[in-house]
Amino acid sequence: MKTLPRDPRLLRAAALAARVFPALRSPDRGKGGHEPYFAGLEAALKRAGVAQPTLVVDLPRLSANIAAVTAALAPTPLGLRVVSKSLPAPALIDLILGETASTRLMVFNGVMLEEVLAHHPDTDVLTGRPLPAAQVADFVRRHANSSAPAARPQWLADSVARLRDYAEIARGVGAPMKVNLEIDVGLHRGGLPDPPALAAAVAFVTAEPLLTISGLMGYDAHVMGRPSPEAAAAEAQERYGAAVTLLAETLGDLSGLTLNAAGSPTYRLHLDDPYANEVSIGSAFVKPTHFDLPTLKEHQPACFIAQPVLKVMDPAIFPGREALTDAYHALDPNSRRGFFLFGGYGDARPVSPPGLRFSRIYGGRAMLEGSAKVALQQDDFVFLRPTESEGVFLQFGDIAVYDGAEISAWWPTFRIHA
């Protein structure tokens, strides 16, 4: 039963009817304890002495996802740019760069630029969004004398006004800056909206001695939400192609430019892209729930949040509604047992043991609930899948690395505000 009656009299009447007609009850979704995979992961965490909320990365699954990306890109001329925002741990990025032979990173703010410069100084960096002028100026000023490639990122620019800021920064420091021009390919979240706007941006940059066009970026995050992703991707590529043509007519040879397109959800739709020369991928390597998409069916979930159970309430009793407890459980057996976890869930969904959910009655994320069939006790672990990796990966301290048998390593993350 998706919606329980609010009126206590109706609730009790519905519960009585459910006892007579079991078909009126919500189906019991409990299936016992952890399935073998999560039972093994729980045992490994306990052997490692873990007793606090922990972000876990499954190394064999991560490697399988890396292999899926490299296999898809191998027959194509597309390069790979690894998105650091989605993988905010130096060792995690090192592993992916090493296994893919990529030397390119995408970075989304000044703090992470500093982290990348410190840990991956030899990478080619493209900013994944335009940054505030003050943040750009601070970075350029402090690293004007650095010879590290990562100290000379491609700064994303989405307007002539932004380019004016960059030109002023470059002149103030006396240092050249590379700019990558963001174009709108249908997302409408920013970027140069049409060919005349792109032409104006190109004209501005070519007139500035300290600015150089390093390429184009067109992000197509809208594609998977359209009725036909393939048709939407084709439309985005057409817009991208028009921009590439305009750039070629203005600059001539584009062979040295970064022509960036796609993201984790759409990279497989660009395998025969005639215009882009690289794709950006981050979350697809660890596959949180927002990336359970047809285009990523070959990828496996490789990140989980492990939460210890602090308290078990059986039966679950709801404050202020104690007299209605039996009625709730009669209508929905999945409300029978209550579980209070350590806290700090991130943006995540419970996946093991099967049959758990956040309580609909208790409010917010204060309590998980499940049926009498959910075999879960105090100090056991509940496993949740993050909905996304950026942000969530920074909430739990060092990342536990699960090698399929044991917790074999701990990976420090970037600073929390990165």
Side-chain angles (χ1 to χ4, degrees):
M1 181 172 291
K2 293 185 178 180
T3 304
L4 297 177
R6 291 182 177 273
D7 186 313
R9 292 169 297 179
L10 291 178
L11 186 68
R12 290 191 177 95
L16 179 60
R19 291 187 179 97
V20 178
F21 302 103
L24 297 176
R25 305 176 75 202
S26 294
D28 188 330
R29 294 180 174 84
K31 297 179 181 179
H34 293 300
E35 295 173 354
Y37 172 82
F38 288 106
L41 177 52
E42 179 181 60
L45 288 166
K46 290 186 175 182
R47 285 194 295 271
V50 177
Q52 68 280 342
T54 302
L55 194 289
V56 180
V57 167
D58 183 303
L59 193 57
R61 291 186 177 199
L62 171 63
S63 294
N65 292 340
I66 294 171
V69 169
T70 54
L73 297 183
T76 79
L78 293 170
L80 168 66
R81 189 170 295 274
V82 178
V83 180
S84 61
K85 173 171 66 95
S86 305
L87 307 159
L92 175 56
I93 293 174
D94 276 337
L95 177 68
I96 295 171
L97 291 177
E99 292 195 15
T100 61
S102 174
T103 58
R104 312 177 199 188
L105 288 175
M106 180 172 281
V107 178
F108 282 77
N109 62 43
V111 174
M112 197 168 283
L113 271 173
E114 297 290 347
E115 297 275 12
V116 165
L117 179 57
H119 294 284
H120 308 93
D122 296 324
T123 53
D124 169 29
V125 174
L126 168 63
T127 59
R129 61 186 172 198
L131 300 182
Q135 199 171 82
V136 175
D138 179 62
F139 184 89
V140 172
R141 182 175 59 254
R142 286 186 296 100
H143 300 293
N145 297 321
S146 174
S147 60
R152 298 284 183 273
Q154 302 180 53
W155 299 100
L156 196 67
D158 57 345
S159 67
V160 171
R162 184 92 55 187
L163 290 168
R164 287 196 187 98
D165 289 339
Y166 290 174
E168 183 177 344
I169 292 166
R171 288 193 295 267
V173 179
M177 293 175 62
K178 297 180 289 186
V179 294
N180 191 293
L181 301 175
E182 182 184 12
I183 56 173
D184 179 10
V185 294
L187 180 60
H188 308 319
R189 196 173 67 186
L192 298 159
D194 51 36
L198 175 60
V202 172
F204 182 92
V205 175
T206 54
E208 286 289 337
L210 291 176
L211 297 186
T212 303
I213 293 174
S214 64
L216 294 172
M217 189 186 81
Y219 186 39
D220 59 356
H222 63 292
V223 163
M224 297 308 297
R226 296 281 293 277
S228 171
E230 292 78 11
E235 292 173 7
Q237 287 182 25
E238 183 178 356
R239 297 179 70 145
Y240 196 98
V244 170
T245 299
L246 188 154
L247 209 59
E249 291 171 349
T250 308
L251 302 180
D253 182 18
L254 305 183
S255 58
L257 299 191
T258 296
L259 303 177
N260 181 277
S264 285
T266 58
Y267 83 89
R268 286 181 176 268
L269 301 177
H270 288 263
L271 299 181
D272 58 355
D273 190 320
Y275 308 111
N277 59 21
E278 69 169 35
V279 291
S280 300
I281 302 175
S283 297
F285 291 115
V286 290
K287 199 179 183 181
T289 63
H290 283 173
F291 296 82
D292 289 341
L293 301 167
T295 49
L296 297 178
K297 63 183 179 182
E298 296 184 15
H299 291 242
Q300 304 174 51
C303 59
F304 303 96
I305 297 168
Q307 282 276 2
V309 176
L310 295 185
K311 300 178 182 179
V312 178
M313 181 167 54
D314 189 359
I317 303 172
F318 305 106
R321 304 182 185 184
E322 292 84 354
L324 301 174
T325 295
D326 289 344
Y328 282 129
H329 300 333
L331 282 169
D332 188 352
N334 302 291
S335 67
R336 167 64 192 233
R337 305 188 77 205
F339 307 98
F340 296 89
L341 307 187
F342 213 107
Y345 305 104
D347 189 1
R349 301 172 184 171
V351 292
S352 188
L356 288 177
R357 70 187 183 201
F358 288 105
S359 174
R360 298 173 179 177
I361 302 171
Y362 211 88
R365 295 187 168 195
M367 184 182 81
L368 283 171
E369 61 186 12
S371 78
K373 294 181 180 179
V374 174
L376 195 60
Q377 303 300 327
Q378 179 179 306
D379 293 341
D380 288 344
F381 278 98
V382 167
F383 294 98
L384 305 95
R385 277 184 68 197
T387 58
E388 58 182 24
S389 54
E390 50 258 30
V392 176
F393 270 42
L394 297 174
Q395 295 180 20
F396 299 94
D398 292 356
I399 295 171
V401 181
Y402 179 53
D403 65 9
E406 302 294 340
I407 302 302
S408 57
W410 291 88
W411 288 342
T413 64
F414 288 141
R415 283 178 283 168
I416 190 71
H417 52 292

